[in-house]
Amino acid sequence: MKLLNYLNPIAHLGEKKYSVLSPLLVMVLFCVSSEVFAYDIAKNPMIVGSYAIFIPVALIIYFAFREGIKGGLIAVVITILYYFYIMYTRHYKGAELDSGIETTIILALLDFLLAGIIGWLKQTIDQLIERESDERRRLEAIIQQLPVGVLITNKKGQLIHQNKQVEKILGRKFPANYTFGKDRTILNGTFNGKLVKPSESPLAYVITKGRAITEKEYTLEFDENRKKYVQVSASAIRNKQGKIIAAAQIIADITNQKEIEKQKDDFLSMASHELKTPITSMKMFIDLQSRQLQNIKSEKAKYFNNRIKDQANRLKELTNDLLDVSRIQTGKLRFNKEECNLTEIVKDTVEGLSGTTTTHTIQLKGASKYSILGDKYRIYQVLVNLITNAIKYSPNGKKINVEIRKIKQNVVVSIQDFGIGIRKEQQTRIFDRLYQVTDPNEKTFPGLGLGLYISKEIIEKHKGKIWVESEFGKQSTFFFSLPLVSKNK
Amino acid sequence: MNKKILVVDDDQDILEPLSIILEDEGYVVSTTPKGEMTYTKVREFKPDLVLLDLLLSGSDGRKICKTLKEDKATKHLPIIMMSAHPGADADSRNCGADGFIAKPFELEDLLKILKKKLH
């Protein structure tokens, strides 16, 4: 084998297979040399030295491949020397010479041309192979440095590459030639609480189904007390023709993230309880106070009590908003969706809020029944937010128009105020977290700037849309649309 | 006869105003800050309705609700759960409560629910 390797003119490139070019060039050279050989034999079959024509031919190939153009030149020198040797022997043996130095020069030039071509080809191949191996080395370095585990298999699911992170995350390496989907799994992983079978491993899945997996979460159980959470993405690697040639999997350790999330959740739950309990108590005492004040003549005391009540309610709303935002960010905002009549919710909200404002009249248009699938409380929350915003941002306006109508398969609710309006450039940003509109005199309005952000999240989680149309300094209309429940279900 | 309501909450600052308000509304009220006392109170006080906090320090309101709902003698007793915890609404339904009100509540909302369940 070693000998064969040595004879392989491109063995030095680490390439075990012979290139397609190699046999082709050998064939060309063979034809050329045969020609020369036939000519020589025809001249004098007894000249043994003629057979030696194959020596320079072999040398040309060999050196050209090994050393490029430089090798080709060496081969040319050898050829010339060889021809001088032939001429010398013929002369020595008194043979007739009908080819002179010119033939030798022409042949040497042809040799040089051939060697040049071979050398050039060899260099090109060299560069290509080098570039590819450079690429491979670069990729290898990147893969090893990645903070996530990387597994690469061939099209049969057999492991061909894994980085150090795999061992770090899984606690052990996959054995060489391990086949995903076939071999026994080396650790117990669960998805949604169910044990993952080898045939359901992400790599086996992407190879058989051809579809990618993105950020799927698995739980790895090492023993009863030690668990790890990983996020797995996998996809098949295809060639130009779209055929699967390999598959790659990325494993990210999200255990820490999960723990932080849990702590955040626990804190949120605790904070929610701890903040809301005193507010509950406070509100009840205020109600009790109100009842007591009914028997007392002091208008001032009643006024003060009402102000305390307003502020307690504001505190309640702010607490709710803060908790909602945290829940949105952790993806924990839950909805109890049921079929409900949106018109009724809008009507109730308008009636409820009409009682709280002395400055504005809220007009409701549209009375047909529109059934939607939604969380009543959350939709109500959106409406309250939009209507109180309309009141808040139209200090000089007197009217708020609320309209409900059907557009195609959606029901659209609009809330129009005649207040400060919103500049064009602000209109896209008002649904961002913590964004607040300022009025033309740069006056700011109270609030945390969370309401529209929460409303947008709620509406979008109901497969709806929320948007605004406004003329700066004149009016603003907020719209939201929700899909109607189809009747022929 | 005036309807009787048992209020169970581990927070005295909730129990105090709540009992005053409910008495004001004409109900006969008994309170306990201890979850495990609920069963004794139910037996002795014989309430028409229990207003139960979802998570009481020490014992779990959901468990109490479940136990009362599984007992033949107390199965028909309406239980309204209240809580300041997020997601408690679903929890209360899971343990068989007849109603739920989130803290902080509006007084009118609470009274509305009580009226509905007591008539």
Side-chain angles (χ1 to χ4, degrees), chain A residues 76 176 208 290 368 410:
Chain A
V76 169
T208 52
S290 304
S368 308
N410 295 301

Side-chain angles (χ1 to χ4, degrees), chain A residues 316-354:
Chain A
K316 176 187 136 187
E317 297 307 330
L318 289 175
T319 314
N320 280 338
D321 279 0
L322 271 178
L323 295 170
D324 279 348
V325 168
S326 313
R327 268 180 239 158
I328 288 170
Q329 284 177 314
T330 49
K332 293 276 150 67
L333 195 66
R334 291 195 188 92
F335 299 95
N336 298 316
K337 286 184 192 171
E338 56 186 355
E339 201 175 318
C340 48
N341 180 3
L342 183 64
T343 316
E344 213 168 86
I345 305 172
V346 177
K347 233 179 181 172
D348 285 351
T349 319
V350 169
E351 271 168 27
L353 289 173
S354 291

Side-chain angles (χ1 to χ4, degrees), chain A residues 81-92:
Chain A
L81 286 175
Y82 165 72
Y83 273 97
F84 276 112
Y85 163 72
I86 294 285
M87 282 202 290
Y88 168 74
T89 46
R90 283 177 183 178
H91 186 68
Y92 181 72

Side-chain angles (χ1 to χ4, degrees), chain A residues 398-415:
Chain A
K398 296 227 162 25
K399 213 167 68 174
I400 309 281
N401 291 329
V402 179
E403 199 177 336
I404 176 163
R405 59 185 186 273
K406 187 184 160 185
I407 296 177
K408 284 178 189 168
Q409 280 313 298
N410 295 301
V411 53
V412 179
V413 179
S414 60
I415 292 108

Side-chain angles (χ1 to χ4, degrees), chain B residues 1-117:
Chain B
M1 220 187 76
N2 288 344
K3 299 273 183 187
K4 292 198 273 187
I5 297 176
L6 171 66
V7 186
V8 188
D9 196 311
D10 54 348
D11 198 327
Q12 276 294 349
D13 290 323
I14 299 283
L15 280 183
E16 194 192 335
L18 199 52
S19 62
I20 301 171
I21 287 168
L22 293 177
E23 273 165 8
D24 236 28
E25 290 295 320
Y27 296 109
V28 179
V29 184
S30 175
T31 62
T32 175
K34 285 195 176 121
E36 57 274 19
M37 285 295 290
T38 315
Y39 309 112
T40 329
K41 283 269 185 186
V42 166
R43 236 178 296 123
E44 288 167 4
F45 179 63
K46 293 191 176 60
D48 298 299
L49 185 142
V50 182
L51 201 52
L52 179 65
D53 189 40
L54 191 96
L55 288 155
L56 304 142
S57 39
S59 48
D60 187 340
R62 290 170 293 192
K63 233 181 221 164
I64 296 168
C65 178
K66 233 179 183 169
T67 316
L68 287 174
K69 283 294 173 189
E70 276 163 9
D71 190 342
K72 260 188 189 168
T74 53
K75 206 165 75 180
H76 304 292
L77 180 64
I79 300 172
I80 309 284
M81 300 207 80
M82 48 184 186
S83 176
H85 273 284
D89 193 357
D91 274 353
S92 75
R93 259 178 281 146
N94 288 341
C95 62
D98 299 273
F100 174 80
I101 188 154
K103 285 179 187 172
F105 42 77
E106 295 302 321
L107 200 53
E108 303 96 79
D109 293 340
L110 176 73
L111 296 175
K112 229 189 261 172
I113 292 178
L114 293 178
K115 231 173 228 166
K116 212 168 125 190
K117 296 288 166 193

